[in-house]
C-alpha cells in the first residue's frame, strides 16, 4: 500500500503533527509506503512529490507550518485538473490519499472521492474552527492563545494612553477566534460575522468605559459587518476558490470610532501571526490523534470520510457532510458574553 499525503489551504500549527502520526503508525504497524505532495493540490496536479518516511518526520512534532508546503491551488479550476491529478496518482502508484485541510481543500477531496473514485481520507485543519461535524479543528487553540496574549499586552498600552485599541483577528466568516480570544482577554466589545454590529452602539459601549476611567479594547473578526454597510475590504482580489481577501474592518472601525466619539483609536491587525509558530499542547494532541485515526481509516478502506472530534472520541464522517456548510457561532453563545460589553 502506498499512501499519498498533502496539506492544503492556509498553513496552521499542528500540520506536521498529523504528518508525523500518519507516517509513524503507517510504517511501523501496517508496513505502508508514503509519498508527500508539495504545496497542497499543486503537488498532484503537477507531479511534485517528496519522500515521506520515519527519518523525514523525526523531530517535526513541535514545528509550526508544514514540511510539505501548502497553497490554495484548486485542481477543479485547472485545465484537465481531475485527469492530471488521477494520472499523477497512477504514475506514482498511490493507492489512497490523506488530505489535510479546511473547507476548500477537503471540498476538492469530497468531489474527487464521491464523483471520480479517488480514495481519499480527510483530516480537518483550520484556525477558523468552522468545519461542521467536528467539535474542534487543530490550529484553532493555538490561534486563540496567540490572540489572547496579544489582547493581554494591548490592555496596558491602551490604559497608558487612554485610547481605544481595535484588534482585528482572523476567522473569515466565523467568529470563533474573536469570541474565544475576546472573552479570554477581557475585551470590552467583541464583533463577529454572525451578528451585524451597530457602530453607534459600539461607540456607546466605548464611551461608557471611558466614563469609568478605563481604556476599552474592541476585538473584531475580519469578516464582521456593520448593519448599515457591506463587508469592508482592502481590495477585491480573489483566490482560486472564489474567496476575497479579508481584512480592513479594524482600520475602518477605528476611524469611525474616532470620528463619532472624539477618542483616539488605533488598530492592531494580528494577521498571519495567528497561523505561525509552535502549536499548543492541545493542538499537538488533537492533530496526532487525527493522524492516527486517518491511517486507520485507510487500512479499513473507509474512504470518502473525514476524521472528526466529537466529545472526546475521534469518529469518521462523510467529507461532503463536513464541508457542506460552515460551523458558525450560535446567537445564544454570543449573547452569553454580552454582559461584558460596555
Amino acid at each position: 500500500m502506498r499512501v499519498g499525503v498533502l496539506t492544503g489551504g492556509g498553513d496552521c500549527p499542528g500540520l506536521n503533527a498529523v504528518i508525523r502520526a500518519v507516517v509513524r503508525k503507517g510504517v511501523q504497524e501496517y508496513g505502508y509506503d508514503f509519498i508527500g505532495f508539495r504545496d497542497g493540490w499543486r503537488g498532484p496536479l503537477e507531479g511534485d512529490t517528496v519522500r515521506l518516511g520515519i527519518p523525514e518526520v523525526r523531530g517535526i512534532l513541535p514545528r509550526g507550518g508544514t514540511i510539505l508546503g501548502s497553497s490554495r491551488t484548486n485542481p477543479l479550476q485547472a485545465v484537465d485538473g481531475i485527469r492530471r491529478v488521477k494520472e499523477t496518482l497512477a504514475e506514482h502508484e498511490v493507492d489512497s490519499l490523506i488530505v489535510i485541510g479546511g473547507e476548500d481543500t477537503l471540498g476538492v477531496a469530497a468531489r474527487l472521492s464521491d464523483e471520480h473514485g479517488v480514495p481519499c481520507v480527510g483530516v480537518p485543519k483550520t484556525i477558523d474552527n468552522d468545519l461542521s461535524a467536528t467539535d474542534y479543528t487543530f490550529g484553532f487553540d493555538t490561534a486563540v492563545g496567540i490572540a489572547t496574549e496579544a489582547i493581554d499586552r494591548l490592555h496596558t498600552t491602551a490604559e497608558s494612553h487612554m485610547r481605544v485599541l481595535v484588534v482585528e483577528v482572523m476567522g473569515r466568516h466565523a467568529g470563533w477566534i474573536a469570541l474565544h480570544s475576546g472573552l479570554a482577554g477581557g475585551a470590552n466589545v467583541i464583533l463577529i460575522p454572525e451578528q451585524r454590529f451597530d457602530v453607534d452602539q459600539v461607540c456607546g459601549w466605548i464611551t461608557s468605559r471611558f466614563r469609568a476611567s478605563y481604556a476599552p479594547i474592541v476585538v473584531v473578526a475580519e469578516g464582521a459587518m456593520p448593519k448599515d454597510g457591506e463587508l469592508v475590504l482592502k481590495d477585491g482580489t480573489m483566490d482560486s476558490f472564489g474567496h476575497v481577501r479579508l481584512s480592513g474592518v479594524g482600520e475602518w472601525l477605528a476611524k469611525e470610532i474616532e470620528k463619532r466619539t472624539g477618542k483616539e483609536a488605533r488598530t492592531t491587525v494580528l494577521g498571519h501571526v495567528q497561523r505561525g509558530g509552535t502549536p499548543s499542547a492541545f493542538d499537538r494532541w488533537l492533530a496526532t490523534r487525527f493522524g492516527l485515526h486517518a491511517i486507520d481509516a485507510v487500512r479499513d478502506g473507509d474512504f470518502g470520510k473525514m476524521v472528526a472530534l466529537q466529545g472526546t472520541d475521534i469518529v469518521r464522517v462523510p467529507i461532503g457532510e463536513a464541508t457542506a456548510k460552515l460551523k458558525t457561532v450560535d446567537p445564544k453563545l454570543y449573547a452569553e458574553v454580552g454582559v461584558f460589553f460596555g
Side-chain angles (χ1 to χ4, degrees):
M1 170 76 77
R2 171 169 284 186
V3 181
V5 182
L6 67 83
T7 55
D11 67 294
C12 84
L15 284 165
N16 287 323
V18 180
I19 298 169
R20 170 181 175 268
V22 164
V23 173
R24 283 283 298 273
K25 188 169 187 178
V27 171
Q28 292 175 194
E29 296 199 11
Y30 305 139
Y32 293 166
D33 185 31
F34 288 88
I35 184 172
F37 290 101
R38 294 283 302 166
D39 302 334
W41 286 111
R42 188 190 68 79
L45 195 62
E46 300 180 5
D48 191 354
T49 65
V50 294
R51 171 179 163 74
L52 268 187
I54 289 181
E56 284 74 25
V57 301
R58 187 172 292 126
I60 68 172
L61 175 64
R63 285 175 56 183
T66 164
I67 62 170
L68 294 177
S70 192
S71 74
R72 297 191 182 277
T73 301
N74 184 357
L76 302 179
Q77 296 297 319
V79 177
D80 292 330
I82 300 298
R83 178 187 60 78
R84 290 161 61 188
V85 168
K86 294 179 73 172
E87 286 182 354
T88 297
L89 297 179
E91 178 185 348
H92 292 279
E93 299 179 332
V94 174
D95 301 294
S96 60
L97 190 61
I98 292 179
V99 180
I100 311 167
E103 172 199 4
D104 297 323
T105 302
L106 292 179
V108 173
R111 289 277 301 276
L112 289 174
S113 181
D114 296 343
E115 300 176 18
H116 301 282
V118 178
C120 296
V121 170
V123 178
K125 171 258 13 161
T126 169
I127 66 170
D128 303 333
N129 197 39
D130 60 358
L131 276 175
S132 298
T134 186
D135 291 347
Y136 288 98
T137 56
F138 70 88
F140 171 68
D141 185 71
T142 305
V144 168
I146 292 168
T148 300
E149 181 181 356
I151 295 167
D152 287 344
R153 291 176 179 275
L154 290 170
H155 273 291
T156 58
T157 185
E159 291 166 6
S160 296
H161 295 274
M162 288 303 290
R163 59 165 62 119
V164 184
L165 283 184
V166 178
V167 186
E168 182 183 296
V169 299
M170 285 182 164
R172 295 202 61 80
H173 302 294
W176 295 108
I177 295 177
L179 185 69
H180 282 240
S181 64
L183 182 60
N188 309 113
V189 182
I190 302 171
L191 306 176
I192 62 175
E194 294 85 346
Q195 300 283 327
R196 283 181 174 258
F197 62 88
D198 184 328
V199 179
D200 287 333
Q201 184 180 49
V202 171
C203 291
W205 285 328
I206 288 170
T207 302
S208 173
R209 299 308 288 178
F210 274 116
R211 281 199 295 266
S213 299
Y214 190 86
I217 299 285
V218 178
V219 174
V220 57
E222 61 186 359
M225 291 184 286
K227 282 185 177 180
D228 300 327
E230 299 299 325
L231 192 64
V232 180
L233 302 171
K234 282 187 175 180
D235 61 66
T237 57
M238 291 188 178
D239 63 20
S240 61
F241 290 94
H243 299 308
V244 293
R245 184 181 302 172
L246 297 181
S247 187
V249 65
E251 185 176 342
W252 175 86
L253 182 59
K255 291 179 180 178
E256 287 296 314
I257 289 170
E258 277 199 348
K259 182 170 65 177
R260 301 187 190 204
T261 67
K263 300 294 185 180
E264 186 180 11
R266 293 289 185 271
T267 306
T268 298
V269 180
L270 296 185
H272 288 79
V273 70
Q274 295 159 93
R275 292 191 179 279
T278 300
S280 67
F282 178 81
D283 279 339
R284 297 185 204 189
W285 174 86
L286 181 58
T288 298
R289 291 192 71 199
F290 277 159
L292 297 175
H293 283 262
I295 198 62
D296 284 348
V298 170
R299 176 203 59 186
D300 296 340
D302 197 7
F303 300 118
K305 299 291 181 62
M306 182 192 84
V307 293
L309 179 69
Q310 295 185 358
T312 58
D313 296 327
I314 305 295
V315 301
R316 300 171 190 169
V317 298
I319 301 175
E321 175 185 313
T323 58
K325 64 177 181 179
L326 291 180
K327 181 180 68 179
T328 53
V329 175
D330 188 308
K332 293 181 181 178
L333 182 59
Y334 182 66
E336 285 181 4
V337 306
V339 66
F340 298 106
F341 296 175

